[in-house]
Amino acid sequence: MRAIVAHTENQPARLTEKDEPEPGAGDVLIDVSYSSVNFKDAMALTGAGIVRRWPVTLGIDVVGTVAESSSNRFAVGDRVTLNGAGAGETIDGGYAERARVSSQSLVHIPEEISLSRAAAIGTAGFTAAIAVLALADHGVVPNSGDVLVTGAAGGVGSVAINLLARRGYRVVASTGRAAEQGVFLTALGASEVVDRAQFSEPINRPLQSEQWGGAVDSIGSHTLANVLAQTRYGGTVVSNGMAQGIDLPVTVLPFILRGITLHGANSVDAPRELRERAWAMLADELDLNALDALTTTIGLDDTFEAADAILKGHVRGRTVVQIS
Ligand SMILES: NC(=O)c1ccc[n+]([C@@H]2O[C@H](COP(=O)([O-])OP(=O)(O)OC[C@H]3O[C@@H](n4cnc5c(N)ncnc54)[C@H](OP(=O)(O)O)[C@@H]3O)[C@@H](O)[C@H]2O)c1
């Protein structure tokens, strides 16, 4: 079968022919219809980290139909998706015509969502859903104040904006592409679009004026430090990414003087209950027409070019890869 495989550490992956998955690799065999290109896939495709076993088929999202199953949770023909759980890192992922995976983290795709839309949601949309659920679980409600979404035009950011706006939050979108993507972000549900430059420099004061009832941050580093320093008393910030960096140059003052919470979102190791809760929420609440508007579909051959564009920050929203 055709597959994109990383063969060697620190080397770009290659589109190649490979054998069908080994039976021992998991209890469910999937005919893969779609995968997607996330920031993490882009890094793996170019050989910039992520992969922890070689050779491995890349693609952290697997979307398709069950072809064989020895799990009592899944039957032949079921529509399923796997997001993370080691796919494309330590186990073979979705950039191949078939994938054999463990049923442990596999979920049924809700019937409202087509296979291609499930891939458009992918890890990025799933992570956005986890983040929005976390804000609500921590008591951030629509009248808690504005919610900031950083990396707004990216995959996690764009889905998060739509989910938050549909729940009634007033969403402020932070982007480096306000002129180019402002209309798009407003159409997704952002009430205001701001320039990300205001968050990207080292914090000048450990406590700044209180602006955000909550935030979903894909950026890390100085951006997250500034967001924490501007979060209102009792607010929650969800950290899910590191587009600016993995460091966090912040003080304890926002925590001990404003009682704020920093919540980490991890899609890779999310337990099955959280996966099912997030997918149910996506089916109920995401505007699927808006999802279509933020999605571009490509073939396996175009995946490398898409990876370069993501790493350069040129991609808007989500990129689906049609596998078969
Ligand atoms: N925790 C998890 O489980 C999990 C899951 C998915 C993703 N992630 C992480 O979350 C982040 C976003 O993922 P994604 O798939 O949404 O990626 P993406 O589609 O590439 O979006 C990232 C966005 O971040 C902004 N950005 C890029 N470089 C930046 C910089 N140097 N400074 C400030 N902003 C910058 C850009 O938004 P604008 O153009 O709008 O400024 C870009 O579109 C990545 O770090 C990814 O690894 C984590």
Side-chain angles (χ1 to χ4, degrees):
M1 59 182 184
R2 291 178 86 216
I4 294 180
V5 178
H7 289 96
T8 316
E9 190 169 5
N10 298 326
Q11 294 298 315
R14 291 200 312 269
L15 179 56
T16 182
E17 297 279 329
K18 67 171 279 190
D19 293 339
E20 292 282 327
E22 298 285 335
D27 53 353
V28 178
L29 179 68
I30 301 170
D31 281 332
V32 183
S33 304
Y34 298 96
S35 184
S36 79
V37 190
N38 297 276
F39 195 85
K40 212 170 181 180
D41 294 306
M43 291 178 71
L45 281 157
T46 55
I50 302 298
V51 175
R52 283 176 286 141
R53 193 206 84 194
W54 297 267
V56 77
T57 301
L58 299 189
I60 67 172
D61 290 323
V62 183
V63 176
T65 310
V66 173
E68 285 175 27
S69 170
S70 54
S71 157
N72 55 17
R73 289 180 50 237
F74 295 96
V76 171
D78 284 359
R79 299 171 336 117
V80 291
T81 186
L82 183 72
N83 305 115
E89 294 184 58
T90 53
I91 60 169
D92 289 334
Y95 293 164
E97 289 157 340
R98 269 165 299 286
R100 190 173 273 283
V101 303
S102 160
S103 59
Q104 201 178 356
S105 300
L106 196 63
V107 298
H108 287 99
I109 298 169
E111 61 185 22
E112 299 85 342
I113 300 177
S114 65
L115 292 174
S116 60
R117 281 170 163 166
I121 292 168
T123 287
F126 168 56
T127 305
I130 291 177
V132 173
L133 289 171
L135 288 180
D137 290 349
H138 283 286
V140 177
V141 292
N143 69 7
S144 300
D146 290 357
V147 173
L148 181 72
V149 176
T150 59
V156 178
S158 54
V159 177
I161 288 169
N162 188 254
L163 288 172
L164 287 162
R166 301 264 289 185
R167 285 195 161 200
Y169 293 92
R170 186 176 186 281
V171 182
V172 177
S174 165
T175 179
R177 298 179 274 174
E180 189 191 326
Q181 303 298 346
V183 172
F184 165 72
L185 297 170
T186 306
L188 285 179
S191 297
E192 201 179 326
V193 178
V194 298
D195 189 337
R196 77 184 192 198
Q198 67 185 273
F199 305 106
S200 49
E201 297 302 319
I203 52 171
N204 52 13
R205 282 173 295 125
L207 287 176
Q208 301 168 21
S209 76
E210 296 179 55
Q211 296 189 55
W212 318 117
V216 176
D217 179 63
S218 291
I219 310 303
S221 191
H222 301 302
T223 299
L224 179 54
N226 277 297
V227 172
L228 291 167
Q230 296 169 6
T231 297
R232 285 165 63 158
Y233 180 86
T236 291
V237 175
V238 180
S239 164
N240 69 265
M242 48 172 197
Q244 187 178 20
I246 60 168
D247 57 323
L248 182 55
V250 72
T251 74
V252 296
L253 293 187
F255 304 98
I256 64 173
L257 295 182
R258 288 189 180 154
I260 70 165
T261 300
L262 177 58
H263 178 95
N266 175 350
S267 60
V268 176
D269 302 310
R272 195 168 83 217
E273 298 70 31
L274 180 56
R275 291 172 185 273
E276 288 171 347
R277 190 175 164 221
W279 276 95
M281 181 252 209
L282 287 158
D284 286 346
E285 300 184 27
L286 184 65
D287 177 348
L288 295 176
N289 292 320
L291 178 69
D292 294 344
L294 61 83
T295 303
T296 306
T297 301
I298 61 173
L300 262 186
D301 307 79
D302 306 317
T303 306
F304 296 93
E305 204 178 315
D308 284 339
I310 283 197
L311 294 178
K312 287 180 183 143
H314 293 167
V315 170
R316 172 177 101 172
R318 297 279 300 135
T319 304
V320 167
V321 183
Q322 180 155 17
I323 307 290
S324 58

